[in-house]
Amino acid sequence: EAQVTQNPRYLITVTGKKLTVTCSQNMNHEYMSWYRQDPGLGLRQIYYSMNVEVTDKGDVPEGYKVSRKEKRNFPLILESPSPNQTSLYFCASSLRLNQPQHFGDGTRLSIL
Amino acid sequence: EDQVTQSPEALRLQEGESSSLNCSYTVSGLRGLFWYRQDPGKGPEFLFTLYSAGEEKEKERLKATLTKKESFLHITAPKPEDSATYLCAVQEDNQGGKLIFGQGTELSVKP
């Protein structure tokens, strides 16, 4: 089954403790992206990748890192999480730029 | 600044009562406009892609249209299962892979 898989689905952690949210897709998609969704602010793009080893900033990249060493994986790294990064995070992928994106089921992060 | 604005923020309809959702955008060159549906607790689900003014796409009770400044999602004779948040997103020429989402329209269809 074609899918985008995020882990973990839920995480409660504390300020400053490094964490990684994994994202994997099984559709051989070139384009992958991370978003956060907050009430009243909608979905905002954090980082995207147009192919292996090619990443670029979205609208809200501060406090986040990403890497794309393999085509299928696009982890989101929070080196020193802060409470303002408490949010619902979505990973998405598409065959290429300008193609419809498939979204994962989301990761709810709470940073205390 | 590039913007995507959706209206209304929320819409309540009776079953069978047709209506339209609006997505207006200000970008210098449109690469593509996307409509998604999002159910509570789930990731957005793709509905339509529109690439150029005048284009229309249709699927069951939904029809999406595009002009140079806005897109409409028309819902004909909606059913309660059409209740969801509908999101519009725009990809602009010369902006790499950036995708800008509107804040969504929350649709509720009562039987």
Side-chain angles (χ1 to χ4, degrees), chain B residues 83-101:
Chain B
S83 297
T85 296
Y86 291 84
L87 302 170
C88 165
V90 165
Q91 209 161 50
E92 186 184 8
D93 276 337
N94 303 318
Q95 288 295 314
K98 275 192 179 180
L99 192 64
I100 304 169
F101 276 83

Side-chain angles (χ1 to χ4, degrees), chain A residues 22-38:
Chain A
T22 63
C23 174
S24 180
Q25 49 92 5
N26 63 358
M27 297 167 279
N28 202 35
H29 284 174
E30 289 184 354
Y31 182 93
M32 296 187 75
S33 185
W34 275 103
Y35 301 89
R36 60 178 290 174
Q37 188 170 37
D38 302 288

Side-chain angles (χ1 to χ4, degrees), chain A residues 2-16:
Chain A
Q3 58 186 5
V4 176
T5 304
Q6 297 178 225
N7 279 297
R9 293 291 315 281
Y10 304 92
L11 180 64
I12 301 174
T13 188
V14 296
T15 299

Side-chain angles (χ1 to χ4, degrees), chain B residues 37-59:
Chain B
R37 168 193 171 125
Q38 186 175 23
D39 294 299
K42 299 280 186 80
E45 178 185 333
F46 170 71
L47 293 173
F48 302 109
T49 308
L50 301 166
Y51 294 107
S52 55
E55 194 174 355
E56 298 183 354
K57 295 269 179 77
E58 206 163 341
K59 178 181 174 181

Side-chain angles (χ1 to χ4, degrees), chain B residues 18-76:
Chain B
S18 302
S19 188
S20 296
L21 282 53
N22 178 263
C23 172
S24 64
Y25 60 92
T26 54
V27 297
S28 55
L30 182 70
R31 179 180 279 148
L33 185 143
F34 305 86
W35 282 99
Y36 291 88
R37 168 193 171 125
Q38 186 175 23
D39 294 299
K42 299 280 186 80
E45 178 185 333
F46 170 71
L47 293 173
F48 302 109
T49 308
L50 301 166
Y51 294 107
S52 55
E55 194 174 355
E56 298 183 354
K57 295 269 179 77
E58 206 163 341
K59 178 181 174 181
E60 296 179 357
R61 296 178 292 283
L62 299 177
K63 179 179 177 180
T65 62
L66 181 66
T67 72
K68 286 189 177 177
K69 292 187 176 181
E70 58 191 350
S71 176
F72 290 94
L73 186 65
H74 306 278
I75 304 178
T76 302

Side-chain angles (χ1 to χ4, degrees), chain A residues 13 25 32 38 41 43 73-74 76-77 80 84 86 89 94 109:
Chain A
T13 188
Q25 49 92 5
M32 296 187 75
D38 302 288
L41 296 175
L43 270 164
N73 296 322
F74 191 45
L76 179 70
I77 302 155
S80 183
N84 64 11
T86 292
Y89 291 84
S94 61
L109 281 183

